[in-house]
PDB file of all heavy atoms in Angstrom:
ATOM      1  N   MET A 216     -65.424  67.481 -61.942  1.00 79.00           N
ATOM      2  CA  MET A 216     -64.410  66.456 -61.859  1.00 79.00           C
ATOM      3  C   MET A 216     -65.058  65.155 -61.392  1.00 79.00           C
ATOM      4  O   MET A 216     -65.947  65.156 -60.566  1.00 79.00           O
ATOM      5  CB  MET A 216     -63.307  66.878 -60.883  1.00 79.00           C
ATOM      6  CG  MET A 216     -62.244  65.848 -60.701  1.00 79.00           C
ATOM      7  SD  MET A 216     -60.907  66.496 -59.677  1.00 79.00           S
ATOM      8  CE  MET A 216     -59.651  65.383 -60.134  1.00 79.00           C
ATOM      9  N   ARG A 217     -64.576  64.036 -61.901  1.00 86.00           N
ATOM     10  CA  ARG A 217     -65.097  62.720 -61.556  1.00 86.00           C
ATOM     11  C   ARG A 217     -63.946  61.847 -61.071  1.00 86.00           C
ATOM     12  O   ARG A 217     -62.816  62.003 -61.515  1.00 86.00           O
ATOM     13  CB  ARG A 217     -65.735  62.094 -62.787  1.00 86.00           C
ATOM     14  CG  ARG A 217     -66.361  60.763 -62.523  1.00 86.00           C
ATOM     15  CD  ARG A 217     -67.094  60.268 -63.781  1.00 86.00           C
ATOM     16  NE  ARG A 217     -67.741  59.030 -63.477  1.00 86.00           N
ATOM     17  CZ  ARG A 217     -67.165  57.835 -63.618  1.00 86.00           C
ATOM     18  NH1 ARG A 217     -65.946  57.734 -64.074  1.00 86.00           N
ATOM     19  NH2 ARG A 217     -67.818  56.742 -63.307  1.00 86.00           N
ATOM     20  N   PHE A 218     -64.245  60.937 -60.163  1.00 84.00           N
ATOM     21  CA  PHE A 218     -63.231  59.975 -59.725  1.00 84.00           C
ATOM     22  C   PHE A 218     -63.881  58.604 -59.600  1.00 84.00           C
ATOM     23  O   PHE A 218     -65.094  58.496 -59.468  1.00 84.00           O
ATOM     24  CB  PHE A 218     -62.587  60.397 -58.403  1.00 84.00           C
ATOM     25  CG  PHE A 218     -63.527  60.331 -57.232  1.00 84.00           C
ATOM     26  CD1 PHE A 218     -63.583  59.194 -56.438  1.00 84.00           C
ATOM     27  CD2 PHE A 218     -64.340  61.399 -56.924  1.00 84.00           C
ATOM     28  CE1 PHE A 218     -64.454  59.122 -55.368  1.00 84.00           C
ATOM     29  CE2 PHE A 218     -65.209  61.344 -55.853  1.00 84.00           C
ATOM     30  CZ  PHE A 218     -65.266  60.203 -55.067  1.00 84.00           C
ATOM     31  N   ASP A 219     -63.079  57.566 -59.644  1.00 84.00           N
ATOM     32  CA  ASP A 219     -63.567  56.204 -59.510  1.00 84.00           C
ATOM     33  C   ASP A 219     -63.159  55.636 -58.161  1.00 84.00           C
ATOM     34  O   ASP A 219     -61.993  55.707 -57.781  1.00 84.00           O
ATOM     35  CB  ASP A 219     -62.992  55.306 -60.614  1.00 84.00           C
ATOM     36  CG  ASP A 219     -63.520  55.687 -61.985  1.00 84.00           C
ATOM     37  OD1 ASP A 219     -64.711  56.040 -62.070  1.00 84.00           O
ATOM     38  OD2 ASP A 219     -62.746  55.635 -62.953  1.00 84.00           O
ATOM     39  N   THR A 220     -64.121  55.092 -57.449  1.00 84.00           N
ATOM     40  CA  THR A 220     -63.828  54.359 -56.216  1.00 84.00           C
ATOM     41  C   THR A 220     -63.494  52.934 -56.624  1.00 84.00           C
ATOM     42  O   THR A 220     -64.276  52.287 -57.316  1.00 84.00           O
ATOM     43  CB  THR A 220     -65.030  54.389 -55.261  1.00 84.00           C
ATOM     44  OG1 THR A 220     -65.311  55.752 -54.944  1.00 84.00           O
ATOM     45  CG2 THR A 220     -64.747  53.607 -53.996  1.00 84.00           C
ATOM     46  N   LEU A 221     -62.343  52.435 -56.210  1.00 82.00           N
ATOM     47  CA  LEU A 221     -61.865  51.138 -56.664  1.00 82.00           C
ATOM     48  C   LEU A 221     -62.430  49.985 -55.858  1.00 82.00           C
ATOM     49  O   LEU A 221     -62.830  48.975 -56.420  1.00 82.00           O
ATOM     50  CB  LEU A 221     -60.339  51.109 -56.636  1.00 82.00           C
ATOM     51  CG  LEU A 221     -59.667  52.191 -57.482  1.00 82.00           C
ATOM     52  CD1 LEU A 221     -58.151  52.123 -57.317  1.00 82.00           C
ATOM     53  CD2 LEU A 221     -60.053  52.034 -58.939  1.00 82.00           C
ATOM     54  N   HIS A 222     -62.435  50.096 -54.529  1.00 86.00           N
ATOM     55  CA  HIS A 222     -62.994  49.060 -53.668  1.00 86.00           C
ATOM     56  C   HIS A 222     -62.998  49.560 -52.230  1.00 86.00           C
ATOM     57  O   HIS A 222     -62.422  50.599 -51.917  1.00 86.00           O
ATOM     58  CB  HIS A 222     -62.228  47.735 -53.786  1.00 86.00           C
ATOM     59  CG  HIS A 222     -60.757  47.845 -53.496  1.00 86.00           C
ATOM     60  ND1 HIS A 222     -60.247  47.837 -52.218  1.00 86.00           N
ATOM     61  CD2 HIS A 222     -59.692  47.984 -54.315  1.00 86.00           C
ATOM     62  CE1 HIS A 222     -58.933  47.964 -52.271  1.00 86.00           C
ATOM     63  NE2 HIS A 222     -58.571  48.055 -53.529  1.00 86.00           N
ATOM     64  N   LEU A 223     -63.651  48.818 -51.373  1.00 87.00           N
ATOM     65  CA  LEU A 223     -63.690  49.158 -49.959  1.00 87.00           C
ATOM     66  C   LEU A 223     -62.331  48.852 -49.348  1.00 87.00           C
ATOM     67  O   LEU A 223     -61.781  47.772 -49.547  1.00 87.00           O
ATOM     68  CB  LEU A 223     -64.772  48.326 -49.262  1.00 87.00           C
ATOM     69  CG  LEU A 223     -64.993  48.591 -47.780  1.00 87.00           C
ATOM     70  CD1 LEU A 223     -65.571  49.981 -47.567  1.00 87.00           C
ATOM     71  CD2 LEU A 223     -65.932  47.543 -47.203  1.00 87.00           C
ATOM     72  N   ASP A 224     -61.772  49.788 -48.603  1.00 90.00           N
ATOM     73  CA  ASP A 224     -60.460  49.588 -47.987  1.00 90.00           C
ATOM     74  C   ASP A 224     -60.565  48.816 -46.676  1.00 90.00           C
ATOM     75  O   ASP A 224     -59.886  47.829 -46.483  1.00 90.00           O
ATOM     76  CB  ASP A 224     -59.775  50.932 -47.748  1.00 90.00           C
ATOM     77  CG  ASP A 224     -58.394  50.757 -47.143  1.00 90.00           C
ATOM     78  OD1 ASP A 224     -57.546  50.122 -47.797  1.00 90.00           O
ATOM     79  OD2 ASP A 224     -58.174  51.240 -46.016  1.00 90.00           O
ATOM     80  N   HIS A 225     -61.400  49.286 -45.759  1.00 93.00           N
ATOM     81  CA  HIS A 225     -61.568  48.599 -44.481  1.00 93.00           C
ATOM     82  C   HIS A 225     -62.862  49.058 -43.817  1.00 93.00           C
ATOM     83  O   HIS A 225     -63.467  50.030 -44.238  1.00 93.00           O
ATOM     84  CB  HIS A 225     -60.368  48.834 -43.543  1.00 93.00           C
ATOM     85  CG  HIS A 225     -60.235  50.242 -43.072  1.00 93.00           C
ATOM     86  ND1 HIS A 225     -59.521  51.189 -43.779  1.00 93.00           N
ATOM     87  CD2 HIS A 225     -60.721  50.878 -41.975  1.00 93.00           C
ATOM     88  CE1 HIS A 225     -59.573  52.340 -43.137  1.00 93.00           C
ATOM     89  NE2 HIS A 225     -60.302  52.181 -42.039  1.00 93.00           N
ATOM     90  N   ILE A 226     -63.244  48.336 -42.784  1.00 94.00           N
ATOM     91  CA  ILE A 226     -64.404  48.687 -41.971  1.00 94.00           C
ATOM     92  C   ILE A 226     -63.872  49.019 -40.581  1.00 94.00           C
ATOM     93  O   ILE A 226     -63.100  48.243 -40.010  1.00 94.00           O
ATOM     94  CB  ILE A 226     -65.388  47.504 -41.894  1.00 94.00           C
ATOM     95  CG1 ILE A 226     -65.899  47.149 -43.289  1.00 94.00           C
ATOM     96  CG2 ILE A 226     -66.547  47.813 -40.948  1.00 94.00           C
ATOM     97  CD1 ILE A 226     -66.563  45.792 -43.372  1.00 94.00           C
ATOM     98  N   GLY A 227     -64.245  50.155 -40.038  1.00 95.00           N
ATOM     99  CA  GLY A 227     -63.847  50.541 -38.685  1.00 95.00           C
ATOM    100  C   GLY A 227     -64.909  50.113 -37.693  1.00 95.00           C
ATOM    101  O   GLY A 227     -66.092  50.376 -37.890  1.00 95.00           O
ATOM    102  N   ILE A 228     -64.476  49.433 -36.626  1.00 95.00           N
ATOM    103  CA  ILE A 228     -65.402  48.918 -35.618  1.00 95.00           C
ATOM    104  C   ILE A 228     -64.928  49.395 -34.248  1.00 95.00           C
ATOM    105  O   ILE A 228     -63.831  49.064 -33.815  1.00 95.00           O
ATOM    106  CB  ILE A 228     -65.464  47.379 -35.659  1.00 95.00           C
ATOM    107  CG1 ILE A 228     -65.894  46.909 -37.067  1.00 95.00           C
ATOM    108  CG2 ILE A 228     -66.406  46.850 -34.585  1.00 95.00           C
ATOM    109  CD1 ILE A 228     -65.770  45.413 -37.272  1.00 95.00           C
ATOM    110  N   ARG A 229     -65.758  50.194 -33.572  1.00 94.00           N
ATOM    111  CA  ARG A 229     -65.392  50.703 -32.245  1.00 94.00           C
ATOM    112  C   ARG A 229     -65.637  49.612 -31.203  1.00 94.00           C
ATOM    113  O   ARG A 229     -66.694  48.983 -31.187  1.00 94.00           O
ATOM    114  CB  ARG A 229     -66.191  51.953 -31.899  1.00 94.00           C
ATOM    115  CG  ARG A 229     -65.843  52.475 -30.508  1.00 94.00           C
ATOM    116  CD  ARG A 229     -66.286  53.903 -30.278  1.00 94.00           C
ATOM    117  NE  ARG A 229     -65.346  54.787 -30.958  1.00 94.00           N
ATOM    118  CZ  ARG A 229     -65.694  55.666 -31.906  1.00 94.00           C
ATOM    119  NH1 ARG A 229     -66.941  55.785 -32.271  1.00 94.00           N
ATOM    120  NH2 ARG A 229     -64.789  56.427 -32.469  1.00 94.00           N
ATOM    121  N   VAL A 230     -64.640  49.395 -30.346  1.00 96.00           N
ATOM    122  CA  VAL A 230     -64.709  48.366 -29.304  1.00 96.00           C
ATOM    123  C   VAL A 230     -64.239  48.956 -27.977  1.00 96.00           C
ATOM    124  O   VAL A 230     -63.604  50.010 -27.953  1.00 96.00           O
ATOM    125  CB  VAL A 230     -63.860  47.122 -29.684  1.00 96.00           C
ATOM    126  CG1 VAL A 230     -64.360  46.500 -30.988  1.00 96.00           C
ATOM    127  CG2 VAL A 230     -62.376  47.460 -29.800  1.00 96.00           C
ATOM    128  N   THR A 231     -64.534  48.241 -26.895  1.00 95.00           N
ATOM    129  CA  THR A 231     -64.125  48.724 -25.574  1.00 95.00           C
ATOM    130  C   THR A 231     -62.791  48.139 -25.127  1.00 95.00           C
ATOM    131  O   THR A 231     -62.059  48.783 -24.379  1.00 95.00           O
ATOM    132  CB  THR A 231     -65.188  48.390 -24.506  1.00 95.00           C
ATOM    133  OG1 THR A 231     -65.431  46.988 -24.518  1.00 95.00           O
ATOM    134  CG2 THR A 231     -66.483  49.137 -24.770  1.00 95.00           C
ATOM    135  N   ASP A 232     -62.480  46.914 -25.553  1.00 96.00           N
ATOM    136  CA  ASP A 232     -61.262  46.254 -25.103  1.00 96.00           C
ATOM    137  C   ASP A 232     -60.579  45.584 -26.294  1.00 96.00           C
ATOM    138  O   ASP A 232     -61.162  44.685 -26.926  1.00 96.00           O
ATOM    139  CB  ASP A 232     -61.595  45.206 -24.033  1.00 96.00           C
ATOM    140  CG  ASP A 232     -60.356  44.505 -23.516  1.00 96.00           C
ATOM    141  OD1 ASP A 232     -59.594  45.137 -22.762  1.00 96.00           O
ATOM    142  OD2 ASP A 232     -60.137  43.342 -23.897  1.00 96.00           O
ATOM    143  N   LEU A 233     -59.368  46.010 -26.592  1.00 97.00           N
ATOM    144  CA  LEU A 233     -58.661  45.508 -27.765  1.00 97.00           C
ATOM    145  C   LEU A 233     -58.428  44.003 -27.690  1.00 97.00           C
ATOM    146  O   LEU A 233     -58.698  43.281 -28.659  1.00 97.00           O
ATOM    147  CB  LEU A 233     -57.336  46.238 -27.968  1.00 97.00           C
ATOM    148  CG  LEU A 233     -56.479  45.742 -29.141  1.00 97.00           C
ATOM    149  CD1 LEU A 233     -57.230  45.867 -30.461  1.00 97.00           C
ATOM    150  CD2 LEU A 233     -55.159  46.481 -29.178  1.00 97.00           C
ATOM    151  N   ALA A 234     -57.949  43.494 -26.573  1.00 97.00           N
ATOM    152  CA  ALA A 234     -57.624  42.068 -26.477  1.00 97.00           C
ATOM    153  C   ALA A 234     -58.861  41.192 -26.680  1.00 97.00           C
ATOM    154  O   ALA A 234     -58.814  40.190 -27.404  1.00 97.00           O
ATOM    155  CB  ALA A 234     -56.971  41.764 -25.129  1.00 97.00           C
ATOM    156  N   THR A 235     -59.979  41.566 -26.073  1.00 97.00           N
ATOM    157  CA  THR A 235     -61.215  40.795 -26.216  1.00 97.00           C
ATOM    158  C   THR A 235     -61.702  40.822 -27.659  1.00 97.00           C
ATOM    159  O   THR A 235     -62.057  39.786 -28.227  1.00 97.00           O
ATOM    160  CB  THR A 235     -62.299  41.354 -25.276  1.00 97.00           C
ATOM    161  OG1 THR A 235     -61.818  41.285 -23.926  1.00 97.00           O
ATOM    162  CG2 THR A 235     -63.600  40.588 -25.401  1.00 97.00           C
ATOM    163  N   ALA A 236     -61.721  41.999 -28.263  1.00 97.00           N
ATOM    164  CA  ALA A 236     -62.182  42.124 -29.646  1.00 97.00           C
ATOM    165  C   ALA A 236     -61.247  41.407 -30.603  1.00 97.00           C
ATOM    166  O   ALA A 236     -61.700  40.709 -31.524  1.00 97.00           O
ATOM    167  CB  ALA A 236     -62.307  43.601 -30.021  1.00 97.00           C
ATOM    168  N   GLU A 237     -59.957  41.557 -30.400  1.00 97.00           N
ATOM    169  CA  GLU A 237     -58.989  40.915 -31.292  1.00 97.00           C
ATOM    170  C   GLU A 237     -59.122  39.394 -31.227  1.00 97.00           C
ATOM    171  O   GLU A 237     -59.063  38.719 -32.258  1.00 97.00           O
ATOM    172  CB  GLU A 237     -57.574  41.358 -30.917  1.00 97.00           C
ATOM    173  CG  GLU A 237     -56.546  41.035 -31.960  1.00 97.00           C
ATOM    174  CD  GLU A 237     -55.198  41.688 -31.699  1.00 97.00           C
ATOM    175  OE1 GLU A 237     -54.998  42.343 -30.645  1.00 97.00           O
ATOM    176  OE2 GLU A 237     -54.324  41.539 -32.558  1.00 97.00           O
ATOM    177  N   ALA A 238     -59.359  38.847 -30.052  1.00 98.00           N
ATOM    178  CA  ALA A 238     -59.543  37.392 -29.911  1.00 98.00           C
ATOM    179  C   ALA A 238     -60.810  36.936 -30.633  1.00 98.00           C
ATOM    180  O   ALA A 238     -60.819  35.896 -31.299  1.00 98.00           O
ATOM    181  CB  ALA A 238     -59.602  37.012 -28.431  1.00 98.00           C
ATOM    182  N   PHE A 239     -61.888  37.707 -30.528  1.00 97.00           N
ATOM    183  CA  PHE A 239     -63.134  37.362 -31.212  1.00 97.00           C
ATOM    184  C   PHE A 239     -62.943  37.373 -32.719  1.00 97.00           C
ATOM    185  O   PHE A 239     -63.307  36.426 -33.411  1.00 97.00           O
ATOM    186  CB  PHE A 239     -64.253  38.342 -30.811  1.00 97.00           C
ATOM    187  CG  PHE A 239     -65.528  38.119 -31.559  1.00 97.00           C
ATOM    188  CD1 PHE A 239     -66.436  37.171 -31.127  1.00 97.00           C
ATOM    189  CD2 PHE A 239     -65.822  38.854 -32.705  1.00 97.00           C
ATOM    190  CE1 PHE A 239     -67.627  36.950 -31.815  1.00 97.00           C
ATOM    191  CE2 PHE A 239     -67.005  38.633 -33.408  1.00 97.00           C
ATOM    192  CZ  PHE A 239     -67.907  37.692 -32.962  1.00 97.00           C
ATOM    193  N   TYR A 240     -62.370  38.457 -33.248  1.00 97.00           N
ATOM    194  CA  TYR A 240     -62.210  38.569 -34.703  1.00 97.00           C
ATOM    195  C   TYR A 240     -61.170  37.586 -35.237  1.00 97.00           C
ATOM    196  O   TYR A 240     -61.257  37.168 -36.399  1.00 97.00           O
ATOM    197  CB  TYR A 240     -61.925  40.019 -35.104  1.00 97.00           C
ATOM    198  CG  TYR A 240     -63.189  40.847 -35.023  1.00 97.00           C
ATOM    199  CD1 TYR A 240     -63.485  41.610 -33.902  1.00 97.00           C
ATOM    200  CD2 TYR A 240     -64.118  40.813 -36.055  1.00 97.00           C
ATOM    201  CE1 TYR A 240     -64.665  42.328 -33.808  1.00 97.00           C
ATOM    202  CE2 TYR A 240     -65.304  41.535 -35.976  1.00 97.00           C
ATOM    203  CZ  TYR A 240     -65.573  42.285 -34.850  1.00 97.00           C
ATOM    204  OH  TYR A 240     -66.752  42.996 -34.766  1.00 97.00           O
ATOM    205  N   ALA A 241     -60.224  37.168 -34.397  1.00 97.00           N
ATOM    206  CA  ALA A 241     -59.271  36.130 -34.811  1.00 97.00           C
ATOM    207  C   ALA A 241     -60.012  34.819 -35.081  1.00 97.00           C
ATOM    208  O   ALA A 241     -59.656  34.077 -36.001  1.00 97.00           O
ATOM    209  CB  ALA A 241     -58.198  35.932 -33.753  1.00 97.00           C
ATOM    210  N   LYS A 242     -61.061  34.530 -34.303  1.00 96.00           N
ATOM    211  CA  LYS A 242     -61.877  33.335 -34.565  1.00 96.00           C
ATOM    212  C   LYS A 242     -62.500  33.389 -35.957  1.00 96.00           C
ATOM    213  O   LYS A 242     -62.723  32.357 -36.574  1.00 96.00           O
ATOM    214  CB  LYS A 242     -62.989  33.198 -33.519  1.00 96.00           C
ATOM    215  CG  LYS A 242     -62.526  32.834 -32.149  1.00 96.00           C
ATOM    216  CD  LYS A 242     -63.734  32.698 -31.237  1.00 96.00           C
ATOM    217  CE  LYS A 242     -63.347  32.375 -29.828  1.00 96.00           C
ATOM    218  NZ  LYS A 242     -64.538  32.200 -28.969  1.00 96.00           N
ATOM    219  N   LEU A 243     -62.796  34.599 -36.431  1.00 95.00           N
ATOM    220  CA  LEU A 243     -63.380  34.779 -37.761  1.00 95.00           C
ATOM    221  C   LEU A 243     -62.312  34.831 -38.849  1.00 95.00           C
ATOM    222  O   LEU A 243     -62.633  35.002 -40.026  1.00 95.00           O
ATOM    223  CB  LEU A 243     -64.223  36.054 -37.802  1.00 95.00           C
ATOM    224  CG  LEU A 243     -65.419  36.094 -36.854  1.00 95.00           C
ATOM    225  CD1 LEU A 243     -66.100  37.459 -36.929  1.00 95.00           C
ATOM    226  CD2 LEU A 243     -66.413  34.983 -37.155  1.00 95.00           C
ATOM    227  N   GLY A 244     -61.047  34.703 -38.468  1.00 95.00           N
ATOM    228  CA  GLY A 244     -59.959  34.660 -39.437  1.00 95.00           C
ATOM    229  C   GLY A 244     -59.177  35.948 -39.605  1.00 95.00           C
ATOM    230  O   GLY A 244     -58.271  36.022 -40.421  1.00 95.00           O
ATOM    231  N   PHE A 245     -59.515  36.992 -38.831  1.00 97.00           N
ATOM    232  CA  PHE A 245     -58.823  38.272 -38.934  1.00 97.00           C
ATOM    233  C   PHE A 245     -57.638  38.298 -37.976  1.00 97.00           C
ATOM    234  O   PHE A 245     -57.807  38.082 -36.782  1.00 97.00           O
ATOM    235  CB  PHE A 245     -59.764  39.428 -38.591  1.00 97.00           C
ATOM    236  CG  PHE A 245     -60.837  39.664 -39.611  1.00 97.00           C
ATOM    237  CD1 PHE A 245     -62.059  39.011 -39.519  1.00 97.00           C
ATOM    238  CD2 PHE A 245     -60.628  40.541 -40.654  1.00 97.00           C
ATOM    239  CE1 PHE A 245     -63.054  39.230 -40.452  1.00 97.00           C
ATOM    240  CE2 PHE A 245     -61.614  40.772 -41.596  1.00 97.00           C
ATOM    241  CZ  PHE A 245     -62.833  40.109 -41.499  1.00 97.00           C
ATOM    242  N   LEU A 246     -56.457  38.585 -38.495  1.00 97.00           N
ATOM    243  CA  LEU A 246     -55.250  38.645 -37.671  1.00 97.00           C
ATOM    244  C   LEU A 246     -54.629  40.027 -37.753  1.00 97.00           C
ATOM    245  O   LEU A 246     -54.753  40.727 -38.764  1.00 97.00           O
ATOM    246  CB  LEU A 246     -54.259  37.579 -38.124  1.00 97.00           C
ATOM    247  CG  LEU A 246     -54.764  36.127 -38.015  1.00 97.00           C
ATOM    248  CD1 LEU A 246     -53.732  35.168 -38.569  1.00 97.00           C
ATOM    249  CD2 LEU A 246     -55.138  35.783 -36.585  1.00 97.00           C
ATOM    250  N   ARG A 247     -53.918  40.393 -36.708  1.00 97.00           N
ATOM    251  CA  ARG A 247     -53.308  41.718 -36.635  1.00 97.00           C
ATOM    252  C   ARG A 247     -52.314  41.926 -37.770  1.00 97.00           C
ATOM    253  O   ARG A 247     -51.491  41.082 -38.060  1.00 97.00           O
ATOM    254  CB  ARG A 247     -52.599  41.909 -35.302  1.00 97.00           C
ATOM    255  CG  ARG A 247     -52.034  43.325 -35.136  1.00 97.00           C
ATOM    256  CD  ARG A 247     -51.287  43.516 -33.864  1.00 97.00           C
ATOM    257  NE  ARG A 247     -52.203  43.537 -32.732  1.00 97.00           N
ATOM    258  CZ  ARG A 247     -51.888  44.051 -31.555  1.00 97.00           C
ATOM    259  NH1 ARG A 247     -50.684  44.550 -31.341  1.00 97.00           N
ATOM    260  NH2 ARG A 247     -52.769  44.039 -30.573  1.00 97.00           N
ATOM    261  N   ASP A 248     -52.412  43.103 -38.377  1.00 94.00           N
ATOM    262  CA  ASP A 248     -51.438  43.551 -39.359  1.00 94.00           C
ATOM    263  C   ASP A 248     -50.485  44.485 -38.610  1.00 94.00           C
ATOM    264  O   ASP A 248     -50.865  45.602 -38.261  1.00 94.00           O
ATOM    265  CB  ASP A 248     -52.135  44.297 -40.498  1.00 94.00           C
ATOM    266  CG  ASP A 248     -51.181  44.815 -41.551  1.00 94.00           C
ATOM    267  OD1 ASP A 248     -49.946  44.828 -41.308  1.00 94.00           O
ATOM    268  OD2 ASP A 248     -51.654  45.222 -42.619  1.00 94.00           O
ATOM    269  N   PRO A 249     -49.249  44.013 -38.328  1.00 89.00           N
ATOM    270  CA  PRO A 249     -48.329  44.840 -37.528  1.00 89.00           C
ATOM    271  C   PRO A 249     -48.100  46.235 -38.109  1.00 89.00           C
ATOM    272  O   PRO A 249     -47.841  47.180 -37.372  1.00 89.00           O
ATOM    273  CB  PRO A 249     -47.030  44.029 -37.526  1.00 89.00           C
ATOM    274  CG  PRO A 249     -47.438  42.642 -37.853  1.00 89.00           C
ATOM    275  CD  PRO A 249     -48.654  42.754 -38.732  1.00 89.00           C
TER     276      PRO A 249
END
């Protein structure tokens, strides 16, 4: 059987503090998806 991978869904990044990491990635343009 064969399947096609369509695209990358997401990248998982382990962090120690959500608020600190979220503020950093917000500077790069990433915002929380509720």
Side-chain angles (χ1 to χ4, degrees):
M216 178 174 200
R217 183 175 183 271
F218 68 94
D219 293 322
T220 300
L221 302 177
H222 56 82
L223 182 67
D224 182 61
H225 67 272
I226 299 164
I228 302 171
R229 179 163 283 122
V230 300
T231 56
D232 181 73
L233 177 59
T235 301
E237 194 170 5
F239 175 84
Y240 285 96
K242 290 182 182 182
L243 298 176
F245 290 89
L246 299 177
R247 184 182 289 200
D248 179 347

